[in-house]
Coordinates of all heavy atoms in Angstrom, one line a residue:
H839 N 43.2 -11.7 -37.1 CA 42.8 -12.3 -36.0 C 43.4 -13.7 -35.7 O 43.3 -14.4 -34.8 CB 41.3 -12.4 -35.9 CG 40.6 -11.0 -35.9 ND1 39.6 -11.0 -36.7 CD2 40.8 -10.0 -35.4 CE1 39.2 -9.7 -36.8 NE2 39.8 -9.0 -36.0
G840 N 44.3 -14.1 -36.8 CA 44.9 -15.4 -36.6 C 44.0 -16.7 -36.5 O 44.3 -17.6 -35.9
A841 N 43.0 -16.7 -37.3 CA 42.0 -17.8 -37.3 C 42.7 -19.0 -38.1 O 43.6 -18.8 -38.9 CB 40.8 -17.5 -38.0
A842 N 42.2 -20.2 -37.8 CA 42.6 -21.4 -38.5 C 41.7 -21.3 -39.8 O 40.5 -21.1 -39.8 CB 42.3 -22.6 -37.8
G843 N 42.3 -21.7 -41.1 CA 41.6 -21.5 -42.3 C 40.4 -22.5 -42.4 O 40.5 -23.7 -41.9
G844 N 39.3 -22.1 -42.8 CA 38.1 -23.0 -43.1 C 37.3 -23.3 -41.8 O 36.6 -24.2 -41.7
R845 N 37.7 -22.5 -40.7 CA 37.0 -22.7 -39.4 C 36.1 -21.6 -39.0 O 35.1 -21.4 -39.7 CB 38.1 -23.0 -38.3 CG 38.9 -24.3 -38.6 CD 38.0 -25.4 -38.1 NE 38.6 -26.7 -38.5 CZ 38.1 -28.0 -38.0 NH1 37.0 -27.9 -37.1 NH2 38.6 -29.1 -38.2
G846 N 36.6 -20.8 -38.1 CA 35.8 -19.6 -37.7 C 35.8 -18.4 -38.5 O 35.4 -17.3 -38.2
N847 N 36.7 -18.3 -39.5 CA 37.0 -17.2 -40.3 C 36.1 -16.8 -41.3 O 36.3 -16.4 -42.4 CB 38.4 -17.3 -41.0 CG 38.4 -18.4 -42.0 OD1 37.9 -19.6 -41.7 ND2 38.9 -18.2 -43.1
F848 N 34.7 -16.7 -40.9 CA 33.6 -16.3 -41.9 C 33.7 -14.9 -42.4 O 33.2 -14.6 -43.4 CB 32.4 -16.8 -41.4 CG 31.8 -16.0 -40.2 CD1 31.0 -14.9 -40.5 CD2 32.1 -16.4 -38.9 CE1 30.4 -14.1 -39.5 CE2 31.5 -15.4 -37.9 CZ 30.9 -14.4 -38.1
I849 N 34.3 -14.1 -41.7 CA 34.5 -12.6 -42.1 C 35.3 -12.6 -43.3 O 35.1 -11.8 -44.1 CB 35.1 -11.8 -41.0 CG1 34.0 -11.7 -39.7 CG2 35.4 -10.4 -41.4 CD1 32.7 -11.1 -40.1
D850 N 36.4 -13.5 -43.5 CA 37.1 -13.7 -44.7 C 36.3 -13.9 -46.0 O 36.6 -13.5 -47.0 CB 38.2 -14.7 -44.6 CG 39.4 -14.2 -43.7 OD1 39.6 -13.0 -43.5 OD2 40.0 -15.2 -43.1
N851 N 35.1 -14.4 -45.7 CA 34.1 -14.7 -46.9 C 33.2 -13.7 -47.2 O 32.2 -13.9 -48.0 CB 33.4 -16.0 -46.6 CG 34.3 -17.2 -46.2 OD1 35.5 -17.3 -46.6 ND2 33.8 -18.0 -45.3
I852 N 33.3 -12.6 -46.5 CA 32.2 -11.5 -46.7 C 32.0 -10.9 -48.0 O 30.9 -10.5 -48.2 CB 32.5 -10.3 -45.6 CG1 31.3 -9.6 -45.3 CG2 33.7 -9.5 -46.1 CD1 31.4 -8.6 -44.1
D853 N 33.0 -11.1 -48.9 CA 32.8 -10.5 -50.1 C 33.0 -11.6 -51.3 O 33.3 -11.2 -52.4 CB 33.9 -9.4 -50.5 CG 33.4 -8.0 -49.9 OD1 32.1 -7.8 -49.9 OD2 34.2 -7.3 -49.4

Side-chain angles (χ1 to χ4, degrees):
H839 305 127
R845 290 286 173 171
N847 63 310
F848 69 95
I849 295 295
D850 286 335
N851 304 331
I852 199 167
D853 281 323

